[in-house]
Amino acid sequence: MIKVLRGNPTPEELAAALAVVQARAAAVTAAAPGQRVPDEWADPARTIPGNRVPHPGPHSWRTSYWPA
């Protein structure tokens, strides 16, 4: 159920808003079954060397810009 809290939309404006909501809901429903969870081995962050990743601390700003 959709409730208009402010304003006084015309029937055409309300129909347009509902069409957008229905289209978005249909797109999400159609895309959900075919989606795959990305493999952790494909994560680009895995290839960053451990000593170049900034870690929290008083001097972490020094390692935040990676090119050496």
Side-chain angles (χ1 to χ4, degrees):
M1 177 176 190
I2 295 179
K3 182 178 181 180
V4 177
L5 297 178
R6 291 185 187 174
N8 190 14
T10 64
E12 292 82 14
E13 292 172 337
L14 193 55
L18 289 175
V20 170
V21 170
Q22 286 177 342
R24 295 279 310 237
V28 169
T29 303
Q35 287 183 343
R36 289 183 32 209
V37 175
D39 192 4
E40 289 184 27
W41 286 101
D43 186 11
R46 189 181 66 81
T47 61
I48 298 173
N51 61 350
R52 302 288 299 272
V53 177
H55 298 287
H59 301 290
S60 61
W61 62 271
R62 292 182 183 170
T63 59
S64 63
Y65 184 70
W66 293 1

